[in-house]
Amino acid sequence: MARVAGLRRALAACAHSVSALQQGSSNSLRPAAISSLVETAPSTSYAAPQTGWLRRQRASNASQLSAAAAAAAATEGSAAAAQPGTALYQIVVVTGDVRGAGSPAPAVVTLVGTEGESEQYLIGDSGEDRGFERATKKSYSLQTHYLGQLQRVHVQQLPSLSDGGGVGWFLDRIDVTGPEGRHWTFPCSAWLGRSNHPAGLDGDHERNLAPCASGVVGPPVVAHSMMEPNYRLLGAPLHVEAAATALPHPEKAAAGLKGVNRKGGGYGGEDAYFYCTNRNGITALGVADGVYMWRDKGIDAGMYSRRLMEFARHAVDLGTTDVLRVLQFAAKRLRLEGVLGSCTACVVLIDHLQGRLAAANLGDSGFLVIGRRRQERTAAAGGGGGGGGSSRGSLEIKYRSPQQEHSFGYPYQLGHYPEADQPEDAMLTTMPLSPGDIVVLGSDGLWDNVSEEELLAEVEKDVVEGVKAPVISQRLAFLAFESSLDKGRETPYSMGASEAFDMVYSGGKSDDITVM
């Protein structure tokens, strides 16, 4: 209660200081005036924030804070034009049209791009701007340094002055327009805080929103939230069937090492995986690939990837619905336990109710989504024939996650050493899913040895035969295994090596292989 009371006082003081500065629009954001509030607000997540979007950009002393506040007041009314050396971002916050969607609580937003991150900006904090009402849009102007390509928006709901708690807020999406007219949509369509909804759809108090994947074939991501979540619960949410196969490196297999494949999780060599479904209707899938060379230093090279997947599953079991926070939670637990090593990682969350996929991918593990071709869906909906019997088949790759590499053969990876990449470096993706879509996750043992065309042909054959996820994962894993042993085969790895080293290279790459 002491923390709640202190936070109420901080909110009141902040609201007073902000209102004293405001002479025009209440929607011109100033980070300096809210720094004391941001520092006072306790984290509502079970994993304490570390680096990235929650780094505090504090004024080092009172004079700096006063100077920043004075500068903010001097720019009042000039939000329509960016100041020299800054960039102007227009932000539209859309609250959903569902029962109990509104909230009197303010929030803090942070934009993160390829050129850095903005300050933390307080919204919905005072006057007519207080809180967020159901089925409304609120616009804000944010001046900061140029952020480049936006990668995510972090949103954190703060306690309400009225009750000191986190009153539920159903955030539909945040639209951002950059200084060059570039537009990004960051869908959410989920609850932040305690829900007032009869279905009890509670959510985390903070979320990382990823932009919609460009060029994705499929329906829009619940635009405008005009679909009542409870209706989706009573209707037909997605049903997800998951299975995985892990195979160790051929040399490890020859030495008697076998892959361990169980329902919900397993490993093969330094590869590891997990899958599960939590109480919030989220199916989580994860693949990690440990770095074998740590064995030369006396470190169990597979421990890091296995423990990362175990902790990621634990985060999902706790109820988190934010894919980046799943990865952050797992990485933090590894640091606390002192686990040594490093690995790549790919974590995917599938929301059954919203029909949406959210992914965090770091390194050269990854995923792709296969679905029916647009014309096939149209023909099926209209009851017409395909016409001509296209040899291209009825399926297509809707999306493929890009690999993250510092250089060829040197992927991004989490690890115990200071130079390791961080969870915040992961590429975040969100996209819609349709019934019948097939999501394939894999370590580089799959992607280095099987081309997209070969993978699509195998999956299409499996779909025609009517086989299920366990058989598809096994067939893809053994296809990659056979390709890795073929020294005369042209593979994604051989083409990449030929380009990187300016030489002709052929054959597959022997490695641990995981397919989900």
Side-chain angles (χ1 to χ4, degrees):
M1 290 303 296
R3 296 183 70 185
V4 170
L7 187 55
R8 284 180 176 174
R9 290 192 294 270
L11 278 164
C14 178
H16 176 74
S17 62
V18 172
S19 62
L21 287 172
Q22 293 176 331
Q23 301 297 327
S25 170
S26 63
N27 291 347
S28 180
L29 304 180
R30 306 181 191 82
I34 66 160
S35 62
S36 61
L37 170 62
V38 173
E39 294 171 14
T40 304
S43 171
T44 55
S45 63
Y46 52 80
Q50 296 295 315
T51 60
W53 32 258
L54 279 181
R55 294 191 191 104
R56 307 309 194 214
Q57 301 194 20
R58 302 180 175 96
S60 61
N61 54 49
S63 61
Q64 287 179 319
L65 181 58
S66 299
T75 59
E76 184 65 46
S78 61
Q83 299 301 307
T86 66
L88 182 67
Y89 292 84
Q90 300 291 342
I91 301 174
V92 178
V93 179
V94 183
T95 299
D97 185 17
V98 302
R99 181 177 175 182
S103 168
V108 173
V109 296
T110 309
L111 306 184
V112 182
T114 55
E115 301 299 321
E117 61 189 63
S118 71
E119 298 84 353
Q120 294 179 312
Y121 288 87
L122 184 66
I123 60 176
D125 61 303
S126 63
E128 296 180 358
D129 182 48
R130 186 175 299 282
F132 304 92
E133 298 178 348
R134 173 179 173 176
T136 60
K137 295 182 180 180
K138 287 192 173 184
S139 299
Y140 302 90
S141 296
L142 183 157
Q143 287 194 28
T144 184
H145 64 280
Y146 179 68
L147 300 174
Q149 171 73 23
L150 292 189
Q151 297 176 317
R152 61 182 178 269
V153 174
H154 178 255
V155 186
Q156 180 177 2
Q157 186 192 44
L158 298 179
S160 170
L161 283 172
S162 60
D163 66 354
V167 178
W169 174 32
F170 190 84
L171 173 63
D172 178 70
R173 69 185 188 276
I174 293 180
D175 295 324
V176 182
T177 301
E180 300 173 350
R182 182 74 182 277
H183 181 79
W184 296 269
T185 293
F186 297 86
C188 180
S189 298
W191 291 97
L192 281 79
R194 187 181 67 253
S195 167
N196 294 319
H197 195 278
L201 302 174
D202 290 0
D204 298 324
H205 286 278
E206 56 184 285
R207 297 182 72 92
N208 292 283
L209 308 183
C212 291
S214 60
V216 174
V217 179
V221 184
V222 197
H224 309 296
S225 287
M226 294 305 174
M227 184 170 291
E228 167 68 46
N230 194 46
Y231 170 80
R232 292 297 299 271
L233 286 171
L234 297 176
L238 292 179
H239 169 73
V240 180
E241 178 186 348
T245 300
L247 303 175
H249 189 289
E251 293 181 0
K252 301 172 189 173
L257 183 65
K258 297 181 179 180
V260 176
N261 295 288
R262 304 189 181 100
K263 183 177 180 180
Y267 58 90
E270 282 70 57
D271 281 7
Y273 68 86
F274 84 96
Y275 58 92
C276 66
T277 300
N278 70 11
R279 65 180 183 271
N280 290 324
I282 301 292
T283 290
L285 317 168
V287 172
D289 179 8
V291 178
Y292 178 80
M293 297 303 293
W294 287 111
R295 289 182 178 271
D296 296 341
K297 297 183 178 296
I299 296 172
D300 183 348
M303 178 63 71
Y304 200 93
S305 59
R306 292 194 297 270
R307 295 293 282 165
L308 184 78
M309 293 292 94
E310 291 173 9
F311 287 132
R313 174 167 186 162
H314 183 50
V316 175
D317 288 339
L318 287 174
T320 188
T321 57
D322 184 323
V323 68
L324 179 57
R325 289 181 61 203
V326 171
L327 201 58
Q328 289 172 324
F329 175 87
K332 180 183 178 182
R333 290 298 300 269
L334 288 176
R335 290 194 299 271
L336 293 176
E337 290 201 355
V339 179
L340 304 181
S342 62
C343 72
T344 66
C346 178
V347 177
V348 169
L349 302 185
I350 298 175
D351 188 323
H352 299 194
L353 302 178
Q354 300 291 344
R356 185 175 70 246
L357 174 151
N361 184 59
L362 188 117
D364 55 6
S365 295
F367 75 99
L368 60 74
V369 179
I370 298 173
R372 294 174 63 182
R373 292 185 180 277
R374 188 186 301 272
Q375 56 266 37
E376 293 287 336
R377 293 198 303 272
T378 303
S390 172
S391 60
R392 290 166 52 193
S394 61
L395 299 180
E396 66 178 346
I397 294 176
K398 298 169 62 175
Y399 181 78
R400 165 75 187 274
S401 63
Q403 293 186 341
Q404 289 181 306
E405 291 185 322
H406 296 288
S407 59
F408 183 77
Y410 179 28
Y412 283 38
Q413 52 195 271
L414 302 173
H416 72 274
Y417 51 98
E419 297 80 11
D421 299 294
Q422 300 300 314
E424 294 78 18
D425 296 318
M427 179 168 290
L428 302 184
T429 306
T430 184
M431 59 175 291
L433 290 179
S434 301
D437 284 351
I438 298 172
V439 182
V440 180
L441 276 76
S443 63
D444 63 338
L446 171 66
W447 309 118
D448 283 344
N449 292 300
V450 179
S451 68
E452 291 184 5
E453 292 76 15
E454 292 171 322
L455 189 148
L456 181 61
E458 176 61 39
V459 170
E460 193 153 32
K461 176 173 69 71
D462 296 340
V463 170
V464 170
E465 295 178 6
V467 300
K468 301 298 183 180
V471 177
I472 297 177
S473 72
Q474 292 172 12
R475 289 181 175 180
L476 288 175
F478 282 105
L479 175 63
F481 187 85
E482 293 171 359
S483 178
S484 72
L485 300 177
D486 188 342
K487 299 303 182 183
R489 191 185 191 104
E490 183 179 70
T491 63
Y493 179 79
S494 68
M495 291 187 290
S498 298
E499 180 179 352
F501 302 126
D502 194 22
M503 58 176 287
V504 177
Y505 187 93
S506 64
K509 176 192 174 188
S510 296
D511 201 351
D512 302 326
I513 297 167
T514 297
V515 180
M516 183 179 301

